[in-house]
């Protein structure tokens, strides 16, 4: 049986995670097997099963010496010539070029007036050479066959060829088609198929050309030129690493100052006789399998004390041998006395990084180091994890001779920050296979395997591994060595929500912990070479890093504040490893981590970017594109239900509160509907699109396997928009039906998917009027407004003036007695500040009907008018929403224009 192989569709350049810019034209390497041959010529004779075939798969010339192309009888059918060829073993080489040689012997009466012949190739390969499959038929006049690729238009100019007496026709180069078959998985010994067809149907019966078959003395031949694979040039990326904001100056005692300030003083800043060096923490990036081939440090020297730089000596640059996960300066080990550099862990990288003579002659300004790439690369060669901080040190090579003698150096809190510019060569390409490995590290998590497995990345940068895979270790390098994790911390789950409720989790022994879900503890003990974890194919392994703490006052550096017996959130980081049974197509999106269904198969090239608008950017309110990319570049883990989910939103991956998550979602959706060519530098919006589409895919997986996101204060905002966004760009029918998923969930406990935005918006009816007019529950009535709202003058019942008014209630669909007409009630601004941005983005994308809840949009209009642009409290719409609403809201009708405050 024939099989269809995916063909290489070409690379698309886009901004990668960590702001790496992929070069947009990379050569494609061929099959990298063993024993490459030198360049060689191969001739392959067509198989004797060659035949013609019509749209029904019928043919009649198999085994004959000649085969007819065109209309050969009175049945009115047209026939295509199909030529099978056995694919050779290239022994590690690739097809550099190829051509078809086919001998034509003549034709029917009037052959010179017949249509021209076109040459096609099939994407189907087969272990059989038999030609009886209608999938090989190509109607040249209407070539709709999805498995056929046009290789040469006018392979034969019939008029010229016939008048010249026919003979052998030789095609143009079709080598790339054959190599594509190998690249897509075709194996030596299988058969490929070339098809020759007339480019229109002849006008009468018995109108054909004749060609020799493989049963004749002049057989069809495929001539190949093969040779070693041409390696693409190594990918070269550039990354500017801004020094950490915890940079500081330090003396020999470990005393430091100016942290968080600008500038910092290098030299003697007081009268205690000690000199200060400047310590610059630099976060080491993920090299994606490449190596550092260039590195320079740039700092801005802005001035100095009276008389500087005279008598201060030169500035030398050192690198420290230690790294850590904190980037904090406060340890005397970082101090280097430039005049007497005895620090055994400090390496001189450049003497006279900035000399006294240079500063005197040329003044202040930016100074750039020599290449220090070997020092940076050494960390990676010694297996230092990406994400750790390395330390650069600037020091004076002599102690100033008087007090208050210093230079001012701009810090990471200044406008011209210290920057380490890196050139990275040979980085693996995001979205493609990376070879084999027995260890994968991402976002602080390290998975160690029992052997090397094929692996690579999705277009998001998340890793896949071809399994099933046996894991012998799950570790992290983020936990402070001064704190010991408990047995039930740093947990992992496989396919969250598959077979268990959304109220439990297996990551950390906090709220809702179920040890049976923590696969990092097979047999109740941590994964190890003697206690392994086997992860089957079609699995998502989600591994988390916990924040470590002993008490509210005894926590890891950076650990969030205690909230209800533990930090909120309790997770620091998380990474997803997807175990697959076949190599994903290049630039694929990751399947959802929740649930056991991993059949989703979408690539970046499937996105219909015409669904996005191309609006002129506003002059104000634009967020930083790198910061917005970074906000969603790591996976958002969001399957734990209720407000407890906030405890399990990893703090390095995502905001913990729903309001803040939704602001990121809104800004991303709005930004990607702007014309980036009008922004400085014409940046790419691809990474922003990838992030939001992936979150939509993940949210779909969560919704398909759990109850959704029940309305609860500000916790569950922002989950519906990403699903619609992904559904529109991928034309996914299931996602596009999201507007109806929750329609059976009016009480909040039905069978549908719960969305906070659906459950909180309503048109005021007589029911709400009757409830709020019945009196407070505490006084015998029905009305029980949210307890945080019951203060004097802070509750307003509905009356007849409110009938039909679009309104919001904190838990309206399942607790309508808690509604309150007052504007400044608790959580109204939290929801309103988010929902206006969501409504605007959906209007711009033409998604109102998909959202399928008109009251949501009408209330957004009302809220905007009522609050004069959302300004009711500290909860404000994003700056981008505020800038785009007055520019574009009126372009998308209808507009709700009722009385925003019926209580007047």
């Amino acid at each position: 049986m024939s099989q269809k192989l995916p063909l290489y569709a070409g690379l698309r350049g886009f901004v990668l995670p960590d702001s790496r810019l992929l070069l947009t034209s990379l050569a494609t390497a061929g099959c990298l097997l063993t024993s490459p041959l030198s360049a060689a010529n191969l001739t392959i004779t067509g198989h004797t099963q060659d035949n013609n075939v019509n749209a029904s798969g019928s043919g009649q010339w198999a085994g004959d010496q000649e085969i007819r192309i065109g209309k050969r009888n009175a049945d009115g059918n047209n026939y295509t010539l199909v030529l099978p060829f056995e694919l050779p073993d290239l022994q590690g080489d690739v097809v550099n070029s190829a051509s078809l040689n086919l001998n034509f012997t003549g034709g029917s009466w009037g052959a010179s007036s017949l249509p021209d012949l076109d040459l096609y190739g099939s994407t189907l390969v087969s272990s059989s050479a038999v030609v009886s499959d209608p999938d090989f038929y190509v109607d040249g006049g209407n070539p709709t066959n999805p498995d056929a690729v046009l290789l040469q238009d006018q392979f034969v100019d019939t008029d010229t060829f016939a008048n010249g007496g026919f003979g052998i026709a030789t095609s143009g180069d079709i080598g790339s088609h054959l190599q594509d078959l190998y690249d897509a998985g075709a194996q030596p010994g299988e058969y490929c198929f070339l098809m020759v067809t007339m480019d229109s149907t002849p006008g009468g019966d018995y109108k054909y050309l004749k060609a020799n078959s493989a049963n004749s003395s002049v057989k069809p031949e495929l001539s190949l030129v093969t040779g070693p694979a041409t390696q693409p040039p190594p990918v070269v990326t550039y990354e500017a690493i801004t020094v950490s904001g915890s940079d500081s100056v330090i003396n020999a005692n470990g005393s430091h100052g100016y942290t968080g300030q600008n500038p910092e003083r290098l030299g003697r800043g007081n009268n205690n006789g000690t000199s200060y060096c400047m310590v610059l923490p630099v976060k080491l990036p993920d090299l994606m399998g490449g190596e550092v081939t260039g590195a320079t440090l740039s700092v801005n020297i802005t001035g100095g004390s009276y008389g500087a730089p005279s008598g201060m000596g030169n500035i030398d640059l050192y690198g420290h041998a230690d790294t850590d996960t904190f980037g904090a300066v406060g340890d005397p080990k970082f101090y280097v006395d430039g005049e007497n550099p005895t620090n055994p862990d400090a390496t001189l990288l450049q003497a006279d990084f900035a000399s006294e003579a240079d500063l005197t002659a040329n003044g202040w300004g930016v100074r750039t180091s020599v290449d220090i790439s070997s020092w940076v690369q050494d960390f990676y060669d010694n297996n230092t994890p990406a994400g750790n901080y390395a330390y650069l040190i600037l020091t004076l090579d002599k102690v100033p001779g008087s007090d208050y003698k210093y230079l001012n150096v701009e810090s990471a809190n200044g406008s011209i920050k210290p920057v380490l510019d890196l050139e990275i060569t040979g980085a693996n390409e995001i979205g493609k296979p990376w070879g084999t490995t027995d260890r994968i590290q991402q976002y602080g998590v390290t998975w160690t395997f029992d052997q090397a497995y094929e692996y690579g990345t999705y277009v998001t940068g998340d890793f896949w591994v071809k399994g099933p895979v046996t894991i012998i270790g799950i570790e992290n390098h983020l936990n402070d060595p001064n704190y010991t994790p408990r047995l039930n911390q740093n947990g992992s789950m496989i396919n969250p929500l598959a077979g268990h409720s959304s109220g439990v989790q297996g990551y950390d022994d906090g709220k809702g912990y179920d040890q049976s879900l923590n696969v990092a503890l097979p047999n109740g003990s941590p994964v190890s070479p003697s206690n392994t974890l086997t992860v089957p194919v079609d699995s998502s392994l989600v591994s988390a890093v916990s924040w470590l703490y002993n008490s509210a006052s005894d926590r890891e550096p950076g650990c969030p504040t205690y909230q209800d017996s533990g930090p909120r959130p309790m997770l620091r980081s998380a990474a997803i490893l997807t175990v697959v049974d076949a190599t994903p197509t290049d630039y694929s999106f990751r399947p959802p981590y929740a649930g056991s269904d991993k059949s989703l198969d979408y690539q970046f090239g499937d996105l219909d970017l015409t669904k996005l608008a191309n609006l002129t950017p506003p002059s104000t309110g634009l967020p930083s594109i790198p910061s917005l990319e970074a906000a969603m570049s790591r996976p958002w883990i969001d399957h734990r239900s209720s407000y407890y989910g906030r405890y399990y939103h990893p703090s390095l991956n995502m905001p913990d509160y729903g309001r803040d998550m939704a602001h990121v979602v809104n800004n991303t959706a709005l930004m990607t509907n702007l014309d980036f060519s009008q922004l400085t530098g014409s940046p790419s919006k691809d990474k922003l699109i990838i992030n939001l589409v992936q979150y939509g895919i993940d949210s779909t997986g969560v919704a398909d396997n759990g109850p959704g996101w029940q309305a609860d204060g500000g916790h569950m905002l922002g989950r519906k928009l990403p699903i619609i966004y992904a559904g529109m760009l991928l034309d996914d029918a299931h996602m596009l039906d999201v507007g109806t998923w929750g329609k059976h969930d009016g009480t909040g406990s039905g069978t549908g998917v719960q969305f906070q935005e659906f459950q909180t918006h309503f048109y005021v009816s007589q029911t709400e009027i009757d409830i709020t007019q019945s009196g407070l529950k505490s006084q015998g009535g029905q009305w029980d407004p949210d307890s945080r709202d019951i203060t004097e003058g802070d509750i307003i019942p509905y009356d007849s003036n409110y009938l039909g008014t679009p309104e919001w209630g904190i838990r309206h669909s399942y607790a309508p007695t808690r509604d309150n007409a007052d504007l400044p009630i608790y959580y109204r601004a939290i929801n309103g500040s988010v929902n206006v941005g969501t409504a605007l983005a959906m209007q711009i994308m033409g998604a109102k009907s998909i959202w399928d809840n008109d009251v949501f949009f009408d209330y957004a209009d009302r809220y905007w008018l009522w609050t004069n642009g959302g300004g009711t409290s500290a909860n404000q719409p994003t700056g981008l929403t505020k800038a785009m609403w007055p520019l574009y809201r009126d372009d998308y009708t209808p507009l709700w224009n009722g009385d925003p405050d019926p209580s007047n």
Side-chain angles (χ1 to χ4, degrees):
M1 179 177 290
S2 58
Q3 58 174 320
K4 184 173 183 178
L5 298 177
L7 289 182
Y8 175 75
L11 293 175
R12 298 171 179 85
F14 52 86
V15 177
L16 298 172
D18 300 324
S19 300
R20 292 192 176 88
L21 181 62
L22 174 66
L23 302 183
T24 55
S25 60
L26 296 174
T28 305
C31 304
L32 301 179
L33 304 178
T34 58
S35 304
L37 301 173
S38 58
N41 295 319
L42 300 175
T43 299
I44 305 168
T45 301
H47 195 279
T48 55
Q49 288 289 338
D50 50 2
N51 199 357
N52 61 18
V53 64
N54 63 18
S56 300
S58 300
Q60 76 174 44
W61 301 102
D64 288 1
Q65 295 188 27
E66 292 180 331
I67 298 176
R68 295 179 180 180
I69 308 165
K71 293 176 72 173
R72 61 175 173 79
N73 54 31
D75 65 6
N77 290 325
N78 201 29
Y79 286 79
T80 294
L81 169 62
V82 185
L83 304 170
F85 291 91
E86 184 176 359
L87 291 169
D89 187 348
L90 301 182
Q91 300 184 47
D93 281 3
V94 296
V95 180
N96 292 325
S97 63
S99 59
L100 170 68
N101 301 304
L102 183 62
N103 187 49
F104 289 86
T105 60
S108 61
W109 183 83
S112 62
S113 63
L114 290 175
D116 296 330
L117 300 183
D118 295 339
L119 175 63
Y120 286 80
S122 179
T123 63
L124 303 174
V125 297
S126 176
S127 59
S128 169
V130 174
V131 176
S132 59
D133 190 334
D135 287 343
F136 294 131
Y137 175 72
V138 181
D139 178 358
N142 184 27
T144 57
N145 185 339
D147 303 316
V149 177
L150 178 63
L151 302 180
Q152 184 176 347
D153 188 30
Q154 289 191 328
F155 166 54
V156 170
D157 178 344
T158 301
D159 181 35
T160 302
F161 205 55
N163 288 325
F166 297 103
I168 294 177
T170 300
S171 75
D173 182 14
I174 59 173
S176 62
H177 168 71
L178 297 176
Q179 185 57 46
D180 280 343
L181 296 178
Y182 284 103
D183 290 343
Q187 299 297 312
E190 293 183 312
Y191 291 92
C192 67
F193 301 87
L194 300 177
M195 295 91 77
V196 180
T197 187
M198 289 187 177
D199 62 12
S200 62
T201 301
D205 297 333
Y206 297 98
K207 293 291 187 179
Y208 54 83
L209 295 178
K210 294 185 295 183
N212 274 140
S213 75
N215 294 281
S216 72
S217 58
V218 187
K219 307 176 189 302
E221 292 182 341
L222 194 58
S223 298
L224 280 68
V225 177
T226 66
T230 302
Q231 295 287 353
V235 178
V236 180
T237 58
Y238 298 89
E239 189 157 348
I241 310 298
T242 302
V243 167
S244 166
S246 60
D247 53 354
S248 185
V249 293
I250 190 170
N251 66 13
N253 299 319
S255 299
H256 60 288
Y258 298 101
T259 303
Q261 300 180 39
N262 183 65
E264 295 177 359
R265 294 179 177 180
L266 176 60
R268 292 178 66 174
N270 53 34
N271 58 4
N272 63 9
T274 62
S275 187
Y276 287 78
C277 64
M278 184 176 184
V279 184
L280 307 171
V282 179
K283 192 172 187 179
L284 296 171
D286 189 339
L287 300 184
M288 303 297 178
E291 64 178 21
V292 179
T293 53
T296 56
L297 173 71
S298 299
V299 299
N300 187 35
I301 302 171
T302 60
S305 60
Y306 175 78
S310 176
M312 297 192 65
N314 305 316
I315 302 175
D316 293 342
L317 173 63
Y318 285 80
H320 201 274
D322 290 349
T323 70
D324 58 38
T325 63
F326 314 116
V329 178
D331 192 319
K333 70 180 181 180
F334 293 127
Y335 176 75
V336 177
D337 176 359
E339 190 170 17
N340 183 29
T342 57
N343 187 331
D345 296 317
T347 300
L348 178 65
L349 301 179
Q350 182 181 353
D352 301 344
F353 167 77
S355 69
E356 181 179 331
D358 170 60
L359 293 173
T360 301
N362 299 308
W364 317 117
V366 175
R367 297 298 190 273
T368 300
S369 75
V370 298
D371 181 22
I372 59 173
S373 58
S374 61
W375 176 77
V376 180
Q377 182 59 39
D378 279 347
F379 288 110
Y380 295 97
D381 293 342
N382 291 314
N383 296 318
T384 301
N388 270 22
Y389 287 90
Y391 294 86
L392 292 166
I393 303 161
L394 294 174
T395 188
L396 294 174
D397 62 9
K398 62 181 288 188
V399 176
S402 61
D403 297 332
Y404 294 101
K405 197 78 166 181
Y406 55 82
L407 296 174
N408 287 326
V409 181
E410 198 158 6
S411 75
N413 294 281
S415 58
I416 303 178
K417 309 174 189 301
V419 170
L420 182 64
D421 286 295
L422 299 182
E423 176 187 86
I424 302 166
T425 301
N428 287 304
E429 188 178 339
I430 294 295
K432 301 193 77 172
W434 284 19
T436 61
T437 187
D438 62 0
R439 187 174 72 99
I440 294 176
Q441 179 187 93
Q442 190 169 45
Y443 307 141
V445 174
T446 301
W447 299 287
T448 304
F449 311 128
D450 65 329
Q451 63 183 40
Y453 293 86
E454 182 183 344
Y455 79 123
T457 55
Y458 293 103
V459 73
T460 58
D462 299 313
F463 282 96
W464 55 262
V465 62
K466 196 170 179 181
V469 61
T470 299
I471 297 177
I472 62 174
I474 304 175
E475 296 88 22
N476 79 84
H477 69 270
L478 295 179
N479 286 156
D480 188 318
N482 294 317
Y483 291 80
T484 302
R486 297 184 294 275
L487 178 67
N488 292 304
Q489 292 187 302
N490 296 331
S492 298
M493 297 180 68
I494 292 178
N495 298 339
L497 296 181
H500 67 84
S501 79
S502 64
V504 291
Q505 51 80 31
Y507 303 123
D508 185 276
D509 60 3
K511 300 176 184 300
Y513 178 68
D514 182 343
Q515 189 185 80
S516 69
L517 299 177
N518 184 356
V519 298
L521 297 175
N523 305 308
S525 299
V527 173
S528 69
S530 60
N531 188 43
T532 62
L533 168 66
T534 298
V535 184
V537 298
D538 294 330
S539 295
S540 299
L541 175 65
V542 185
S543 294
V545 180
S546 298
W547 282 110
L548 305 184
Y549 56 93
N550 297 318
S551 66
S553 59
D554 186 10
R555 297 170 286 149
E556 280 186 302
C559 182
T561 303
Y562 249 56
Q563 297 276 349
D564 189 16
S565 75
R568 187 172 72 184
M570 293 183 172
L571 300 186
R572 183 174 187 176
S573 183
I576 300 172
L577 179 66
T578 306
V579 182
V580 300
D581 64 350
T583 302
T585 305
D586 291 349
Y587 312 117
S588 288
F589 284 95
R590 174 176 47 74
Y593 63 84
S596 57
D597 183 1
K598 310 298 174 185
S599 61
L600 178 140
D601 184 20
Y602 286 124
Q603 290 75 50
F604 182 79
D606 294 326
L607 297 177
D608 181 1
L609 301 182
T610 65
K611 296 294 176 63
L612 297 173
N614 211 29
L615 304 175
T616 298
S619 58
T620 61
L622 293 171
S624 160
I625 293 175
S627 296
L628 193 57
E629 288 175 346
M632 297 188 78
S633 64
R634 295 185 177 200
W636 283 17
I637 307 302
D638 191 33
H639 60 85
R640 176 72 165 86
S641 64
S642 82
Y643 81 92
Y644 284 156
R646 183 175 184 178
Y647 286 84
Y648 299 97
H649 292 160
S651 57
L652 292 181
N653 292 43
M654 60 192 296
D656 66 281
Y657 190 36
R659 171 199 58 197
D660 304 322
M661 293 166 59
H663 281 320
V664 173
V665 166
N666 287 348
N667 273 352
T668 302
L670 290 170
M671 283 292 288
T672 54
N673 279 280
L674 298 178
D675 181 1
F676 273 34
S677 70
Q678 299 184 42
L679 300 178
T680 302
S682 298
S684 170
K685 65 173 72 172
D686 292 341
K687 181 55 183 167
L688 294 175
I689 295 170
I690 289 168
N691 288 346
L692 192 49
V693 168
Q694 184 64 64
Y695 183 46
I697 290 170
D698 284 338
S699 297
T700 300
V702 172
D704 286 346
N705 291 276
W709 299 271
Q710 187 183 62
D712 187 8
H715 291 285
M716 302 300 166
L717 292 164
R719 276 66 166 196
K720 190 173 181 179
L721 183 154
I723 296 173
I724 292 177
Y725 186 96
M728 291 183 69
L729 269 61
L730 294 171
D731 193 24
D732 184 283
H734 176 53
M735 296 180 192
L736 290 174
D737 198 33
V738 65
T740 67
W741 290 358
K743 288 298 185 183
H744 303 294
D745 196 41
T747 65
S749 57
T751 59
V753 176
Q754 302 178 67
F755 289 103
Q756 174 154 322
E757 296 90 344
F758 175 73
Q759 293 182 334
T760 55
H761 291 84
F762 61 99
Y763 291 110
V764 177
S765 69
Q766 191 62 46
T767 299
E768 287 78 30
I769 294 173
D770 292 344
I771 288 173
T772 59
Q773 292 290 339
S774 70
L776 294 174
K777 184 177 182 180
S778 60
Q779 300 170 5
Q782 295 177 272
W783 193 23
D784 187 24
D786 191 271
S787 61
R788 290 160 292 191
D789 299 333
I790 301 180
T791 58
E792 186 175 355
D794 208 16
I795 56 173
I796 298 177
Y798 301 114
D799 58 29
S800 60
N801 293 323
Y802 281 89
L803 272 174
T805 300
E807 175 60 322
W808 171 89
I810 187 168
R811 293 175 176 84
H812 174 76
S813 69
Y814 63 96
T817 59
R818 303 189 73 174
D819 298 338
N820 186 347
D822 190 35
L823 172 59
I825 55 175
Y826 214 70
Y827 288 109
R828 187 189 289 276
I830 288 176
N831 283 255
S833 67
V834 165
N835 291 341
V836 289
T838 301
L840 180 61
M842 292 289 89
Q843 292 274 21
I844 289 171
M845 292 184 67
K848 184 178 179 182
S849 61
I850 301 173
W851 188 278
D852 199 15
N853 189 23
D854 286 350
V855 66
F856 175 82
F857 296 92
D858 286 348
Y859 179 77
D861 287 340
R862 179 189 173 213
Y863 185 82
W864 188 269
L865 292 171
W866 194 12
T867 60
N868 192 26
T872 66
S873 68
N875 287 287
Q876 301 281 330
T878 67
L880 185 59
T881 300
K882 286 187 170 184
M884 290 184 65
W885 186 286
L887 288 177
Y888 294 114
R889 175 62 190 95
D890 289 353
D891 294 343
Y892 306 97
T893 56
L895 291 165
W896 184 87
N897 57 4
D899 182 359
D901 187 3
S903 65
N904 291 334

